[in-house]
Structure formats: structure tokens, C-alpha cells
Amino acid sequence: MTFRSSSGEVPAPPRAITPDMERDAARQGRFLRLFGGIWAGVGWALAGLFFVLAAVTTPGFWMGGLLGAVFGCAGIVLFSLGFRQQRRAREVFRSGIEAQAEVVEVFLDRRLRVNRRHPWRVVYELRAQDGAAARGSALFWSPHPPNARPGQRVIALHDRADPSRSVLWSRLEHAAELGEGATARGMLP
């Protein structure tokens, strides 16, 4: 495990968003943005096609246009939800509160699949400053398991108002993704 800074310390908020924080925030809601974008594009394309066909040939085609519009609207809603998840993760990176967390489980999440790949999910539990316990999870799309094990202590950042909204500060990518020598820095006992 490594940290985002060589000192291993979390800077005080508000933090500047670094490219690796931006990349990690972009992972939040990625599936919803992808799925929603496809639905919106295909739905609105079919709506346009069927409305043109209804105007030019058979008026009954307007029903197909309506169905395409419903799928297009559903896609916009899904995309918006995914974009909101990304924006919230970015905000937690910028102004989140530091907390010690413990890895609860690490597993290949077979419930989710994109391009015939399943992500690794790291579930962690943190304790907020007010003593409230919250769980969070992080996805890793590498073919290699992340550098985490149950019971391992990590650092997480959480939203002050809602500790269940959290991101990992500790870097848990497999050594192949981090580069040479990266796993030796920033270890917690």
C-alpha cells in the first residue's frame, strides 16, 4: 500500500485535486455514465428515426418514437446519477475528513462486468470523528488483485455530513500498476 504523497500524510482541506485523485474520482459512477450514455444515445436516435418515419410514412410509428424517448430519458437520468457520484467523490477528495479504516473483505465482484471483465472490490469500515461507523468500497479494474487484505489498516477520507460517502486515500493498486518501488512507501502497521 502506498499513499498519494511521499510523506504519507493527508494534507489539510481544501486539497488540490491531483491527476490520480481525478482518475480515482472518475471511477465513481463510471458504469452508470457508460450505461446511461448508451441508453440515451440509442434511445434518442430511435426516437428521431421513428418520429421521422411517422411523419413521412405511417402515423402509427409515433409509438416507437415515444418508446425511444422513454429510453433516452432513462439514459439521461442514469448518466446524471453517475456524474453526481463522480462529483461527490471529487468533493470528498477535496474537503473530506481523514479517518482510519480497516479492510473488511477483498473479492472479485462477479455482480458487475464491463467488457467481459469483473472488478476487484475492497470493502472497508471506517469510524468517523463522532464515533459513527460507516462502510465504503472501492473498485479496482486491474486483472491483478489489489494490494489489500482483510484486517489491513488504511486511510480513508469521508464527507463530514455523511460518513458513508468515502474514498480511499491509501493506494491499493497492484504493484504492476503503481510502478517500481511504489509498494515500499507509506505502509501502516
Side-chain angles (χ1 to χ4, degrees):
M1 170 182 65
T2 65
F3 295 113
R4 294 174 191 280
S5 64
S6 59
S7 68
E9 296 179 8
V10 179
R15 296 171 198 84
I17 301 296
T18 61
D20 71 315
M21 290 180 199
E22 189 67 46
R23 185 188 68 239
D24 287 353
R27 290 178 182 158
Q28 301 290 325
R30 177 186 287 173
F31 179 75
L32 287 175
R33 290 191 317 271
L34 176 67
F35 197 66
I38 291 170
W39 270 35
V42 171
W44 287 110
L46 287 175
L49 175 69
F50 278 106
F51 284 136
V52 167
L53 286 174
V56 174
T57 60
T58 307
F61 279 138
W62 70 270
M63 298 271 294
L66 186 63
L67 183 63
V70 167
F71 273 91
C73 288
I76 289 171
V77 167
L78 291 174
F79 184 85
S80 299
L81 289 172
F83 185 73
R84 189 169 86 182
Q85 287 179 354
Q86 177 185 7
R87 193 176 66 239
R88 283 181 174 173
R90 188 180 302 122
E91 186 55 34
V92 170
F93 272 122
R94 184 183 328 281
S95 59
I97 306 299
E98 179 181 355
Q100 291 286 324
E102 184 176 317
V103 174
V104 177
E105 60 182 324
V106 179
F107 62 95
L108 190 61
D109 191 349
R110 298 202 182 272
R111 298 172 297 174
L112 182 58
R113 185 174 76 181
V114 175
N115 294 334
R116 295 183 302 208
R117 290 179 46 200
H118 299 283
W120 289 91
R121 185 176 297 270
V122 175
V123 179
Y124 56 92
E125 188 169 290
L126 63 92
R127 203 157 282 289
Q129 289 177 337
D130 63 1
R135 276 194 171 206
S137 69
L139 294 178
F140 297 88
W141 288 93
S142 168
H144 309 289
N147 192 15
R149 64 191 180 288
Q152 179 178 352
R153 292 190 315 153
V154 294
I155 295 177
L157 302 176
H158 67 85
D159 188 315
R160 183 182 310 271
D162 183 6
S164 67
R165 272 192 271 175
S166 63
V167 295
L168 283 176
W169 178 261
S170 303
R171 304 291 301 178
L172 299 176
E173 281 87 352
H174 189 271
E177 281 84 33
L178 287 174
E180 185 178 331
T183 57
R185 297 188 314 263
M187 291 296 286
L188 286 176

